[in-house]
């Protein structure tokens, strides 16, 4: 399929960015933060049994013009198109998720992040890791704490790879491991199809949403809605009805819900699922 030029004006309007369009670190930081805070992480399409399309036109239709969010491939491919349209040197990477994975278990590369080179210095960006998504790019350098607008992060060397860690409370938690081999669109297409169709995929069986804000992170896992504040407070509540689910998705996560009976049916089904108690966490 041939694709038209990326619509930077529409993308910037979607994320509320009004700054420069030159490929500088300041531009990258501001766009990354605006994107993460404006476009939510969500998996409504797999949860509803709808396809997830990763071509540029579909990403713009859904995440930019449609007021929706998506998961890692959608977020980071969209961000990559935007950065390339501004002449950033950017490529896609693949990662193996470590967060909430038992020690010693090696999973497939089911996550996407970005590698950006600016004036000879490498950075990583990631607008799509759910409840722990980055709000700022990180310098691709191991062994030191890097501040963001929310939690501190760091990269640790793991042979010829890196492990991304977040400091949650007084603990460092590994999020994922990645190398610097460039991944191509076809690699993401195959993995995304698996995650959005396999009957045991968490994205098929659970409703998941997340969005960072200036002083907090919002998270939804099925019926459990959680707000983690920067000052250490955590608020949790179990949503008791489909209208509550709809209200939270539209308000806290800013999702323009599709007008389809599939959505109402899915929310009704959700009321019969067990409560998922999210792991205690202190920002």
């Amino acid at each position: 399929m041939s694709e038209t030029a990326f619509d930077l004006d529409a993308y910037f309007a979607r994320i509320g960015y009004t700054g420069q369009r030159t490929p500088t670190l300041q531009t990258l930081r501001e766009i990354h933060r605006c994107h993460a805070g404006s476009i939510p992480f969500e998996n409504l399409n797999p949860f509803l049994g709808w396809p997830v399309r990763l071509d540029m036109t579909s990403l713009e239709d859904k995440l930019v013009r449609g007021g929706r969010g998506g998961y890692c491939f959608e977020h980071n491919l969209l961000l990559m198109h935007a950065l390339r349209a501004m002449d950033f040197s950017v490529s896609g990477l693949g990662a193996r998720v470590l967060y909430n994975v038992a020690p010693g278990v090696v999973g497939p590369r089911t996550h996407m992040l970005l590698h950006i080179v600016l004036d000879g210095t490498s950075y990583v960006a990631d607008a799509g890791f759910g409840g722990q998504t980055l709000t700022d790019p990180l310098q691709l350098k191991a062994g030191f704490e890097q501040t963001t607008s929310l939690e501190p992060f760091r990269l640790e060397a793991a042979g010829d790879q890196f492990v991304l860690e977040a400091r949650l409370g007084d603990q460092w938690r590994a999020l994922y491991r990645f190398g610097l081999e460039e991944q191509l669109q076809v690699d993401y297409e195959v993995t995304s199809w698996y995650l959005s169709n396999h009957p045991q995929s968490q994205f098929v069986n659970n409703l998941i949403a997340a969005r960072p804000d200036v002083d907090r992170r919002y998270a939804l896992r099925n019926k459990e809605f959680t707000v983690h504040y920067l000052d250490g407070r955590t608020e949790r509540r179990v949503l008791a009805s489909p209208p509550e689910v709809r209200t939270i998705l539209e308000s806290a996560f800013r999702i323009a819900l599709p007008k389809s009976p599939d959505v109402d049916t899915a929310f009704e089904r959700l009321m019969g699922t067990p409560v998922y108690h999210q792991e205690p966490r202190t920002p």
Side-chain angles (χ1 to χ4, degrees), residues 33 133-138 146-153 217:
R33 191 171 298 183
T133 199
L134 289 171
T135 53
D136 301 80
L138 303 178
Q146 302 191 48
T147 59
T148 72
S149 62
L150 293 175
E151 307 87 352
F153 290 79
R217 288 184 182 273

Side-chain angles (χ1 to χ4, degrees), residues 65-76:
R65 288 181 280 273
R68 291 282 307 282
Y71 57 20
C72 68
F73 304 110
E74 297 169 279
H75 274 277
N76 287 321

Side-chain angles (χ1 to χ4, degrees), residues 5-274:
F6 186 77
D7 190 343
L8 267 180
D9 290 337
Y11 173 72
F12 287 156
R14 172 73 168 100
I15 68 173
Y17 176 73
T18 58
Q20 297 295 315
R21 302 191 179 195
T22 51
T24 66
L25 180 57
Q26 184 62 31
T27 300
L28 176 62
R29 284 173 171 160
E30 292 180 8
I31 288 174
H32 196 302
R33 191 171 298 183
C34 287
H35 180 126
S38 300
I39 304 179
F41 184 97
E42 52 105 330
N43 72 318
L44 272 172
N45 276 40
F47 187 65
L48 295 172
W50 295 358
V52 176
R53 297 187 173 92
L54 301 182
D55 61 280
M56 186 178 74
T57 300
S58 295
L59 293 173
E60 289 181 297
D61 286 344
K62 181 186 176 193
L63 278 71
V64 176
R65 288 181 280 273
R68 291 282 307 282
Y71 57 20
C72 68
F73 304 110
E74 297 169 279
H75 274 277
N76 287 321
L77 283 170
L78 181 71
L79 179 56
M80 184 166 68
H81 286 304
L83 294 177
R84 285 180 173 171
M86 290 181 286
D87 294 325
F88 279 90
S89 174
V90 54
S91 58
L93 304 178
R96 303 183 194 275
V97 175
L98 303 175
Y99 191 61
N100 289 337
V101 174
V105 174
V106 179
R109 292 187 182 94
T110 56
H111 183 61
M112 178 187 180
L113 67 154
L114 301 179
H115 178 206
I116 298 117
V117 180
L118 278 169
D119 300 323
T121 300
S122 288
Y123 299 86
V124 290
D126 183 358
F129 194 65
Q132 285 303 132
T133 199
L134 289 171
T135 53
D136 301 80
L138 303 178
Q139 187 175 345
L140 186 58
K141 183 177 179 181
F144 73 103
E145 181 177 312
Q146 302 191 48
T147 59
T148 72
S149 62
L150 293 175
E151 307 87 352
F153 290 79
R154 72 183 181 190
L155 292 165
E156 291 294 327
D160 61 351
Q161 299 187 328
F162 296 88
V163 173
L164 177 64
E165 298 180 341
R167 194 178 74 192
L168 305 180
D170 58 358
Q171 293 185 332
W172 285 98
R173 295 289 306 276
L175 303 183
Y176 52 76
R177 182 175 70 249
F178 65 95
L180 299 183
E181 179 182 358
E182 182 177 4
Q183 305 293 296
L184 305 178
Q185 178 85 16
V186 65
D187 301 312
Y188 300 133
E189 293 277 1
V190 170
T191 307
S192 178
W193 188 92
Y194 176 88
L195 291 176
S196 62
N197 288 276
H198 194 282
Q200 294 181 357
S201 169
Q202 67 165 334
F203 296 119
V204 171
N205 292 294
N206 301 281
L207 177 61
I208 302 169
R211 188 180 69 82
D213 212 331
V214 291
D215 65 343
R216 70 196 68 182
R217 288 184 182 273
Y218 297 105
L220 179 70
R221 177 88 175 202
N222 292 328
K223 295 182 294 188
E224 186 173 68
F225 174 59
T226 309
V227 186
H228 300 291
Y229 294 92
L230 265 184
D231 62 11
R233 292 177 297 127
T234 293
E235 297 176 353
R236 305 178 190 275
R237 68 185 174 99
V238 176
L239 306 181
S241 68
E244 271 195 282
V245 175
R246 179 178 291 276
T247 297
I248 287 295
L249 289 173
E250 292 176 335
S251 58
F253 301 99
R254 302 177 183 174
I255 297 171
L257 290 173
K259 293 180 175 17
S260 167
D262 291 353
V263 175
D264 298 322
T265 300
F267 290 173
E268 289 286 352
R269 184 176 77 246
L270 191 65
M271 291 301 103
T273 62

